[in-house]
Amino acid sequence: GQWGVEGIQTAGLLRNSNVRVTITGLFTPPQVLVAQAVGADYASPYLGPMNDAYGGSGGLEQVCEMQRVLQGCQPRMRLMVTSIRDTADLTRLASIGCNTFALTPTLAAKLFTNPFTIDAAGEMEAAAQANGGGADALRKVEVPVAVQHEREAFAASRAAAMAAATGSQL
């Protein structure tokens, strides 16, 4: 097989025409060097399939090595890690300097569904209501319509993300 030889050549031509480029499907650290050499803006490894291919967290170790390679080269290109399945992997990647991710709605919802956080928010809401605050207090304050719509949209998107994470339907 020719891992992306034609694609890499095309990426180089696009970069020469000032078109932003993302090289995808990387599975090894040396491939990041190729993406950097053609001037790609992003190199995008697929973490989930990499873990499947390498077994266990082998893909995560490869992506961590890719990030270390990039840091050593100090390029303008960044990793955009996709197909992340676990919040622990996301945290580990962020801790080594990865800062660009494509998150699924399911993973994004997991960021908000920690039971301790949900319990703490419930306790804070109960305390606010006990002290005359909470949802009733918000209704007494005149809020601009645009802010109300923004709140409603956020609540709807959060509910949809949580439903996706739990497999339930709205």
Side-chain angles (χ1 to χ4, degrees):
Q2 298 181 15
W3 171 78
V5 172
E6 290 176 3
I8 294 298
Q9 290 171 338
T10 302
L13 294 172
L14 290 169
R15 284 303 303 148
N16 289 340
S17 299
N18 294 319
V19 175
R20 296 187 67 158
V21 173
T22 299
I23 305 294
T24 64
L26 289 80
F27 274 70
T28 66
Q31 291 173 329
V32 169
L33 295 173
V34 174
Q36 179 189 351
V38 298
D41 297 284
Y42 298 96
S44 185
Y46 302 145
L47 180 58
M50 290 175 72
N51 280 335
D52 295 343
Y54 291 110
S57 62
L60 180 63
E61 295 308 318
Q62 291 292 312
V63 174
C64 290
E65 184 64 21
M66 290 177 186
Q67 181 64 24
R68 286 190 289 273
V69 166
L70 284 179
Q71 287 172 335
C73 297
Q74 300 180 346
R76 65 176 189 78
M77 183 182 78
R78 298 190 326 210
L79 287 184
M80 178 172 54
V81 185
T82 63
S83 299
I84 303 167
R85 298 174 182 158
D86 189 286
T87 57
D89 289 347
L90 178 65
T91 304
R92 171 112 186 264
L93 292 167
S95 75
I96 63 154
C98 290
N99 61 10
T100 307
F101 308 96
L103 303 180
T104 64
T106 300
L107 184 66
K110 287 179 182 178
L111 298 172
F112 296 99
T113 56
N114 179 288
F116 300 117
T117 302
I118 293 169
D119 290 348
E123 290 171 11
M124 287 183 218
E125 181 64 28
Q129 287 179 0
N131 290 310
D136 291 335
L138 289 177
R139 287 189 193 100
K140 294 175 189 173
V141 175
E142 192 170 317
V143 178
V145 173
V147 173
Q148 291 175 359
H149 290 292
E150 187 176 325
R151 283 182 183 163
E152 291 166 3
F154 175 77
S157 65
R158 183 173 183 268
M162 291 181 78
T166 61
S168 63
Q169 302 216 353
L170 295 176

